[in-house]
Amino acid sequence: MTSAVAAAAAPFVSSFTRQEPSLRIPSRLPVRTLTTALALAAVGALAVPAGTAAPHEPAPVDVAVDWYDLTAESVAAAGASTQVTNNRTWAVGWLAAARALRADGRAAYQEAALAGAVHEALSELTPARAAELDAALDATLDRVPDGPAEDAGLAAGRREARALLAERAGDGLDPASVNAPITLPEPAPGVWQPTPPAYGPPAQAGNRHARPFLLAGADQYRLAPPPAVDSARHRADLAEVEAYGSADSTVRTAHQTETAEFWYGSSLTLYTEPLRVALDRSPGSLAERAELVALFHVALVDTQIATSDSKYAHLAWRPVTALRAGGDADWTPLHVTPSHPDYPSGHGTYAGAAEGVLTSLVGPRTAPFELTSPTAPGVTRTYTTWRQLSVENIDARVFSGIHTRTADVAGVRLGRTVAAHTLRNADQLFD
């Protein structure tokens, strides 16, 4: 890489701040969601984990966190091979719980209903975890006072889960449908082609045909086309990736390399802890906390459907294809390029949707929390805002050499848009 290329790219490094549109918070939220938002905003950066016990006293059991952890463990151990399918599993279990919890405010009913709904959904969607799920349900019910409230809650949770499973049957979010084959156009400048080293078939092309939870269609918020291949913006994007994203970059710093490695893995995995932090620190009712988890994952399912639509509508080539076609035949990115188009970045859309939901329902800041990554062993990072996760995702995909900054910024914008749509229309989920 020449010094001239590095100089051309430098002005665009970390330029997200000046390109970023303002986050639009929905002006109308469902009644319960609005209650959560106001309660959480009141504690802001001073939020502390719920259920903190006095010294030498055992911490009280938090049924929401218990079943959150069990959901995370079940999806990690026996989930599907496709990320959006696993977000669907979360959405079904926790939306069923949120629906059941709206019916009765008695504590025994609430705890039994949440456990019953999530247990029923996970038993169907992660059957290999049956023993662990049954044991967890028994443990929850053992703590709930016996009586009509417990019986009614358990029955309601199971009923809502079965109904939602039936409602979502055939929604096109199973792994085979998500990765349905497509026919690609002939190779041409700007058009996506399979990428090295595997040159695999296009992935996640079928997402755009799946049935969303709340979007009117996958193309409802389709992005405008990316910059033309002969535009100054596209040339600047490629110069930045060439300089900072190559495997042998001489300008990428150690911290930038760490950022690329930290965010290289599954977004679902990386965002499980931030959502858990929000859930654990929430002072809302059990029903409101179940809604937080449900709305997060509903938004993420719809975001990934919208992402696939824009990706395969525009079929933008990846940096490695563009740079090699431009004459640098040996250029290699720091990380292997995923097998789907550049625009928009899926990590960007996931980050934007997660940020949008958490900012709207929890507030933009929280007390410091630590985050680790399976793709950056031994690294721990600390955050106090949800937005910082989005900023790092944008930089990371450039430093990995696998996305243009334009694709990353557009992705965050699309994710925020779908999150706002989810929150504006959340009442439809509970009617």
Side-chain angles (χ1 to χ4, degrees):
M1 184 201 69
T2 67
S3 58
V5 172
F12 299 96
V13 178
S14 300
S15 61
F16 171 61
T17 300
R18 65 175 179 271
Q19 295 185 44
E20 179 193 18
S22 60
L23 176 62
R24 295 177 180 175
I25 305 299
S27 58
R28 182 184 64 83
L29 300 180
V31 173
R32 286 183 180 270
T33 302
L34 181 58
T35 301
T36 304
L38 293 175
L40 290 168
V43 295
L46 299 179
V48 295
T52 301
H56 311 302
E57 292 181 8
V61 173
D62 186 333
V63 68
V65 173
D66 271 4
W67 282 91
Y68 184 94
D69 290 345
L70 191 68
T71 307
E73 292 162 6
S74 297
V75 168
S81 58
T82 47
Q83 178 173 270
V84 70
T85 312
N86 291 324
N87 281 112
R88 176 189 184 272
T89 296
W90 277 92
V92 168
W94 285 82
L95 179 54
R99 287 176 173 178
L101 290 170
R102 286 191 161 210
D104 191 322
R106 291 175 293 175
Y109 173 96
Q110 295 260 308
E111 295 199 4
L114 188 147
V118 180
H119 173 272
E120 188 77 13
L122 292 179
S123 295
E124 174 71 22
L125 299 173
T126 60
R129 293 277 294 173
E132 293 86 351
L133 293 168
D134 290 348
L137 180 63
D138 289 343
T140 298
L141 296 179
D142 284 345
R143 296 192 301 264
V144 176
D146 293 336
E150 178 192 43
D151 295 342
L154 180 62
R158 287 172 166 167
R159 182 171 60 250
E160 291 290 356
R162 289 193 293 268
L164 190 52
L165 285 164
E167 179 185 323
R168 297 300 303 179
D171 60 9
L173 290 167
D174 58 284
S177 298
V178 167
N179 285 319
I182 66 166
T183 300
L184 294 172
E186 290 297 317
V191 176
W192 183 82
Q193 301 167 41
T195 50
Y199 296 95
Q204 303 171 29
N207 268 7
R208 69 199 196 281
H209 300 307
R211 173 160 46 94
F213 278 86
L214 287 172
L215 292 177
D219 62 350
Q220 183 171 357
Y221 296 109
R222 180 179 291 175
L223 294 170
V229 293
D230 59 352
S231 67
R233 177 72 258 174
H234 188 60
R235 289 194 297 272
D237 275 339
L238 292 181
E240 181 185 19
V241 179
E242 183 179 25
Y244 290 89
S246 66
D248 59 356
S249 172
T250 59
V251 296
R252 188 180 59 243
T253 67
H255 185 266
Q256 290 168 340
T257 300
E258 180 188 283
T259 297
E261 292 170 345
F262 193 90
W263 292 102
Y264 185 61
S266 157
S267 292
L268 173 64
T269 300
L270 288 162
Y271 274 89
T272 297
E273 180 61 19
L275 179 57
R276 187 188 190 280
V277 168
L279 177 69
D280 185 47
R281 296 177 180 182
S282 167
S285 68
L286 189 60
E288 290 166 341
R289 297 168 76 208
E291 287 180 16
L292 169 64
V293 179
L295 290 170
F296 183 97
H297 285 284
V298 165
L300 265 303
V301 169
D302 281 9
T303 293
Q304 289 170 88
I305 292 171
T307 300
S308 178
D309 171 76
S310 283
K311 275 184 178 290
Y312 286 96
H314 300 304
L315 284 170
W317 60 0
R318 288 279 186 160
V320 64
T321 306
L323 291 169
R324 291 187 176 188
D328 193 349
D330 296 323
W331 189 88
T332 300
L334 174 64
H335 290 131
V336 174
T337 301
S339 191
H340 42 77
D342 178 59
Y343 178 86
S345 160
H347 273 59
T349 61
Y350 202 107
E355 179 195 341
V357 172
L358 293 174
T359 297
S360 294
L361 300 187
V362 180
R365 302 187 63 83
T366 187
F369 69 93
E370 293 184 341
L371 189 60
T372 59
S373 168
T375 53
V379 176
T380 299
R381 292 191 164 190
T382 302
Y383 301 93
T384 58
T385 70
W386 316 116
R387 180 184 177 279
Q388 186 58 31
L389 307 179
S390 299
V391 172
E392 289 191 10
N393 265 278
I394 288 171
D395 285 341
R397 307 309 267 177
V398 174
F399 300 149
S400 283
I402 58 181
H403 272 299
T404 60
R405 185 169 294 275
T406 291
D408 297 329
V409 172
V412 169
R413 184 182 301 116
L414 177 60
R416 288 172 174 168
T417 299
V418 177
H421 178 92
T422 300
L423 297 176
R424 283 196 307 271
N425 295 280
D427 280 340
Q428 297 178 29
L429 295 170
F430 303 105
D431 289 342

